Amino acid sequence: MFFTYLRRELRRRRRAALVVASGLALGIALVIVVNSVSSGMNRAQDKVLESLYGLGTDMTVTKAAEPPEEGGTVRRPRFRFDAEDDGEGGEQSQDIVMVQGFETLAASTVGKVAGQDGVAEAVGGLNVRVMKVDGQFTRGEVQQQPGQGGPGGGPGGGAVRGGGADFGVASYTAYGTDVTQQGLGPLTSSKITAGRTFTANETDAKVAVLDSAYAKENALTVGKTLTVSGTAYEVIGIATADSGDAAADVYLPLAQAQTLADAKDKVTTVYVRTSDSQRIDGVKAAVQKNIPGTTVTTSADLADTVSGSLSTASGLASGVGKWLSVLVLAAAFLVAGLLTSSAVSRRVREFGTLKALGWKSGRVTRQVAGEALVNGLVGGALGIAVGVGGAWLITTFSPTLTAELGAGAGQGAGAGGGARLIGPGGGAGGGAGGGSRTLDIALTAPVSLTTIALAVALAVAGGLVAGGFGGWRASRLRPADALRRVE
């Protein structure tokens, strides 16, 4: 009897039922889209962080920046060329390998960090920048002016014409990686697409892995040779970044990078993986307390430095979007409840007659609540379909967002604090240039089972809210009302 009456009433009032279901569907669809976009934003943020310091890294440890001394000089790269007098000038070329930011830690710091409670793994690396200057000098010619000349007709004066210098400057980043522990650090954010990666016995081998973009730009392939500051390195592999820009253009064994940069037994960054993500804050506090002179940067700290359209969209999705979905959903629940209550008012004679025939108030209430619950489930199904469709469209078209990593993410902290350099591609800190860095990230909107379950729960809740309104109104009707109501 319950289901027969329910089916008949829904058919008879299908227009009103469709209005209630559509309102709930709109709110549920908005919730699905906003949650999916927020999830996509989180993935995009993770990709940005991975492109800086690799998969699995929970925090980085770098040297704390010292305030500049009053009247102190700023360290800048210097190029020196020998004079050559061969009549034609001469070609000159020189590489300068500099530690990023000129700030280093003793290699023993890696062991100290690894010994802290809660640290599962710690790996040291050296971030360097290579600046290459090459070109040539050309000697000028002295042209005598009419009427000029020294005694006896010898040269006495004139203007120098032509000559000068023509030099080009190029720079790229390099990262010295601990080849015995390759499961952590910037290289893990790239995938080897040609050749191979380092082996554990190549701790001081003259081999290199190149980023695919850098290799293509310089026409380098596996088996060819890359010369850095007079040292030839065999290219053994090509790595392609999983997303955005690569962490470095060139990857070298740590010992080789230390030799090139004249930084023996030094590292710039210690990459840390904790034993439990819930212990990140505790490990950070322990490192800062037990290892003076260091700066600890977690992924949460770095995320605060990300700006650009990714940050703006993320803020809108987590702030305005969620509040808007809550308001729309609340309005949909309210409208569904009012429409159900209004429908009960128009069915006074019907419910009064049913009570006169022996229906109890509870049975009438259950009948109204059942109708409202079905409306909610129909609205939920429509909302899930629309919401999943909207998320699919976002993923299909994949709008591109930019993540700009400002100076705080790419340079050492000054006297006022700030994020330290934690990736070799982030700039040269104290004097080697490198300001902001921009990454392009394709936005996706993945729909999880949790989101679907939330939508179903909202559909049931919407039906119960509407049924509560209508059931409360129906329970107050009296059989005598049927006799006084004229329709």
Side-chain angles (χ1 to χ4, degrees):
M1 180 64 180
F2 173 82
F3 292 103
T4 301
Y5 193 83
L6 176 65
R7 184 172 61 254
R8 183 181 65 83
E9 290 301 318
L10 289 175
R11 286 180 178 177
R12 191 161 64 94
R13 294 180 172 82
R14 54 179 175 271
R15 181 177 297 180
L18 183 60
V19 171
V20 173
S22 299
L24 291 173
L26 177 62
I28 292 171
L30 187 58
V31 169
I32 292 176
V33 171
V34 169
N35 274 275
S36 300
V37 170
S38 295
S39 178
M41 296 294 178
N42 291 333
R43 289 190 181 185
Q45 292 274 16
D46 290 341
K47 288 182 179 180
V48 172
L49 303 186
E50 288 169 9
S51 70
L52 288 176
Y53 54 43
L55 298 170
T57 302
D58 294 318
M59 65 183 67
T60 58
V61 180
T62 53
K63 184 177 180 180
E66 299 177 356
E69 298 180 2
E70 186 175 352
T73 58
V74 178
R75 298 180 62 182
R76 293 185 176 90
R78 296 180 63 85
F79 293 88
R80 298 181 184 275
F81 296 102
D82 295 331
E84 296 182 5
D85 190 9
D86 57 3
E88 295 294 334
E91 293 187 357
Q92 302 276 357
S93 179
Q94 184 179 0
D95 290 349
I96 289 185
V97 183
M98 302 167 294
V99 174
Q100 289 270 42
F102 302 107
E103 301 283 357
T104 58
L105 293 166
S108 59
T109 306
V110 179
K112 295 179 182 178
V113 173
Q116 302 299 309
D117 186 33
V119 174
E121 186 178 5
V123 178
L126 187 71
N127 305 323
V128 301
R129 180 175 291 274
V130 182
M131 297 189 68
K132 184 179 184 64
V133 175
D134 59 354
Q136 64 180 1
F137 295 104
T138 304
R139 295 185 61 181
E141 297 181 354
V142 179
Q143 296 182 351
Q144 298 289 341
Q145 300 295 329
Q148 293 182 346
V160 178
R161 304 295 182 186
D166 183 13
F167 282 82
V169 180
S171 69
Y172 57 89
T173 57
Y175 172 70
T177 182
D178 187 344
V179 299
T180 63
Q181 294 178 281
Q182 298 185 55
L184 199 61
L187 185 54
T188 61
S189 64
S190 297
K191 181 173 62 177
I192 301 297
T193 52
R196 62 176 178 85
T197 188
F198 303 104
T199 59
N201 61 354
E202 292 177 326
T203 55
D204 200 21
K206 293 181 174 60
V207 292
V209 173
L210 307 184
D211 172 61
S212 57
Y214 178 80
K216 181 179 180 180
E217 180 182 353
N218 293 275
L220 294 170
T221 57
V222 175
K224 289 192 174 183
T225 299
L226 171 70
T227 302
V228 183
S229 194
T231 303
Y233 292 90
E234 180 189 355
V235 178
I236 61 171
I238 304 296
T240 302
D242 290 336
S243 63
D245 295 336
D249 297 315
V250 178
Y251 300 91
L252 301 170
L254 178 58
Q256 284 294 319
Q258 291 170 333
T259 300
L260 290 172
D262 192 22
K264 185 178 180 181
D265 296 327
K266 299 289 185 181
V267 296
T268 52
T269 312
V270 180
Y271 301 89
V272 182
R273 177 187 292 130
T274 60
S275 57
D276 188 343
S277 61
Q278 302 299 320
R279 305 187 65 178
I280 292 178
D281 291 338
V283 172
K284 176 180 179 179
V287 172
Q288 290 176 326
K289 177 182 178 182
N290 299 327
I291 308 178
T294 59
T295 295
V296 182
T297 304
T298 66
S299 57
D301 297 330
L302 184 63
D304 293 337
T305 70
V306 178
S307 59
S309 61
L310 173 59
S311 178
T312 302
S314 180
L316 289 175
S318 61
V320 177
K322 287 187 177 180
W323 277 111
L324 179 62
S325 62
V326 169
L327 291 176
V328 171
L329 194 62
F333 280 12
L334 180 60
V335 169
L338 292 177
L339 288 176
T340 304
S341 179
S342 177
V344 171
S345 298
R346 293 193 298 270
R347 298 165 66 186
V348 170
R349 184 172 181 177
E350 174 186 342
F351 290 134
T353 303
L354 290 174
K355 282 192 172 186
L357 294 175
W359 280 41
K360 302 294 185 182
S361 295
R363 186 175 179 181
V364 174
T365 301
R366 287 193 297 272
Q367 190 69 44
V368 174
E371 295 174 12
L373 183 59
V374 171
N375 289 337
L377 293 176
V378 172
L382 291 175
I384 291 173
V386 174
V388 171
W392 177 80
L393 288 175
I394 293 174
T395 301
T396 300
F397 289 100
S398 297
T400 300
L401 300 177
T402 59
E404 183 174 342
L405 309 175
Q411 300 180 5
R420 295 277 300 155
L421 173 69
I422 66 171
S436 62
R437 175 185 174 195
T438 301
L439 302 176
D440 291 332
I441 303 294
L443 176 64
T444 59
V447 181
S448 65
L449 292 177
T450 303
T451 302
I452 297 297
L454 175 62
V456 173
L458 290 175
V460 173
L464 292 177
V465 168
F469 270 93
W472 172 78
R473 185 68 181 272
S475 66
R476 295 170 59 87
L477 295 176
R478 295 178 300 172
D481 291 335
L483 302 177
R484 294 197 298 264
R485 182 66 178 255
V486 177
E487 295 185 354

